[in-house]
Each structure stands twice: as structure tokens, then as C-alpha cells.
Amino acid sequence: MRRIFSLIPAMLVVGCGALQLPGGQPNVDGTVVALAQQGAPRLQVGILSLGASTVVVRQTVRENFETYASIDGASITMQDGMMIATRGLGGDMLGSDISESLATVSSQKPGRVTRFHTFLDPENRAERRAYICDIAIRGPRDVPFGETQVATQLIAEDCASQDQTFLNLYWIDSSGKIVQSRQWAGDFAGVLTFRIVP
């Protein structure tokens, strides 16, 4: 099973200086490097448990689904700013139904919703889980965006199943775009943070 640490070397893509890992250099995906050099949209991704962050590059777009990739093949798929799948992080989120969460968060109104995640378990089997989530408005917050600040509304999504709980946070700008977020990627990867790179 690949480990989440493989995501970190994507710093090489944007020339910010990579965080070095034990074991030497990663296998580099030339397509991702080329996309970065062409100015493809990027996301800053943080791994909360490690206190580390990196930048990933948008590789594909299909309707409102965007897949961002690192230079060594790890990827994260987003739907309008909400994470729906990961690959290459370990214990991957294979897919999600976030339709209720997305609609309620986008409306910037409180409510109770159900979301579904399918994870890869330790035996490499797909396991689908349902979560009941309470969405609450936490009020206005300013978010750093390049050299400026963006006015946003902070929205919390507090979710629970029979044996798991997590809290997602979304900072939404005046156009309705999620410009920053903190989202749970499963027991193995834990909480990931996202911010649009200007």
C-alpha cells in the first residue's frame, strides 16, 4: 500500500524546494511537471497530522469534477471544492456521494444531511460508509489570498457514523467558491487542508 508521504514531493513542481523524504527522489510524472510549467490551476494541500504542505496541479476537468495530481502519481478529485476521491495516499477514498453536503454548504444555510464515502480497507476491499452531518454557519472570516485578503463565510460540517466522526470546514467567498477548506480523507490519511493558489 502506498503511504501518504508520497504526496509531499510535489513541491518540486512549482520550484519551491521539495521536502526530502527517506529513500531518495520520487518517480517524476512529466505530464504533471509540464502542466505546472504551462500555468495549470494549483491547490496547496496540507497534511494536518504531519504539519506539512505541498502544491498539486490540476490534471483533468470533467464538468464540475477536477483531479489534481502530484509529480509522483498521487491524486485528489474535487467536486466544486469538496473532496470526493483520493489515490496514492493509502486507505484511499475511492468515491463519495456529497450531493446533499454540497447543496447545503453552497446555499450557506444550516441543515442536516447525509453523505457517503467508499474507502479501500486494509484487505483492499471497497467499504461504503454513511455519515449524518450537521452543517452550521460560523460567520465571516478573512482568508489570505496571495498578497490580499478575501472575505469569506466559514461553514462547518460535523459528521458522524456509528464509529467515526470528523469535522469539515469550508471558507466560501462572495461568488460561492470554496477558496479554502479542511476536509477529512479517512482514518489513514486523516485531515487534509486545501487552499486555491492565486
Side-chain angles (χ1 to χ4, degrees):
M1 176 184 293
R2 294 186 63 189
R3 299 187 67 81
I4 190 169
F5 302 89
S6 65
L7 185 65
I8 297 174
M11 288 289 281
L12 289 167
V13 168
V14 292
C16 296
L19 298 172
Q20 295 300 316
L21 301 179
Q25 297 293 326
N27 294 323
V28 174
D29 184 334
T31 303
V32 173
V33 173
L35 287 168
Q37 292 170 343
Q38 294 163 16
R42 297 169 294 160
L43 279 179
Q44 180 180 342
V45 181
I47 304 165
L48 201 62
S49 63
L50 300 179
S53 66
T54 187
V55 173
V56 292
V57 178
R58 191 173 72 184
Q59 190 173 40
T60 61
V61 182
R62 292 185 180 88
E63 297 178 354
N64 57 342
F65 299 92
E66 300 176 304
T67 297
Y68 291 81
S70 70
I71 58 172
D72 67 340
S75 68
I76 298 168
T77 300
M78 312 290 282
Q79 180 181 359
D80 290 329
M82 284 192 181
M83 177 175 52
I84 61 168
T86 66
R87 296 293 184 272
L89 303 188
D92 281 318
M93 182 185 290
L94 301 179
S96 304
D97 178 351
I98 57 156
S99 55
E100 291 184 20
S101 294
L102 184 58
T104 305
V105 168
S106 296
S107 73
Q108 300 186 40
K109 295 178 180 177
R112 173 166 282 192
V113 300
T114 303
R115 63 158 58 213
F116 300 90
H117 294 168
T118 301
F119 291 105
L120 193 62
D121 73 10
E123 283 74 43
N124 288 325
R125 297 174 302 197
E127 180 180 14
R128 191 167 194 248
R129 290 176 166 265
Y131 303 86
I132 302 300
C133 305
D134 290 314
I135 294 172
I137 310 303
R138 292 199 176 174
R141 302 288 193 281
D142 288 337
V143 171
F145 195 72
E147 297 182 0
T148 65
Q149 297 275 327
V150 174
T152 69
Q153 190 77 242
L154 175 58
I155 299 178
E157 181 186 25
D158 195 1
C159 301
S161 66
Q162 289 184 337
D163 59 349
Q164 293 176 320
T165 61
F166 60 90
L167 174 67
N168 290 337
L169 298 173
Y170 310 97
W171 287 258
I172 301 179
D173 70 10
S174 59
S175 72
K177 179 185 291 186
I178 297 172
V179 296
Q180 177 177 286
S181 63
R182 170 181 163 157
Q183 303 183 49
W184 185 71
D187 285 336
F188 185 84
V191 176
L192 303 183
T193 60
F194 300 94
R195 182 182 292 176
I196 295 173
V197 177

